[in-house]
Amino acid sequence: MFAPLRTLMVALWVTSIAGGAVILFLSFAWMSWASFAVAGVLGLGLGIPAGIWSARAIKREDPNWPPKRRRTLRRQHS
């Protein structure tokens, strides 16, 4: 199961960094497919760690965040 906060933060960071890189590259008149590819790689390379870090920071600094729960396996009754 995925973590909604972490997924949201990673998506925000990746798209923000990649979008900023695209704007920067296009403003320097680098208009080719390579500029979009480099922006995507930058977004993934920098955005994933930043998103995970920020999600952990939110959980760590919020006193009302629920503590970690032990996951239990549910039996399916037939």
Side-chain angles (χ1 to χ4, degrees), residues 18-70:
V22 166
I23 291 170
L24 179 72
F25 295 153
L26 292 178
S27 68
F28 286 126
W30 186 25
M31 297 178 200
S32 70
W33 66 269
S35 63
F36 292 94
V38 169
V41 169
L42 281 174
L44 289 172
L46 297 174
I48 291 174
I52 292 171
W53 176 83
S54 61
R56 287 182 180 169
I58 289 170
K59 291 178 182 179
R60 182 175 51 245
E61 295 173 6
D62 187 4
N64 294 324
W65 196 268
K68 288 185 178 181
R69 295 181 296 206
R70 177 184 282 177

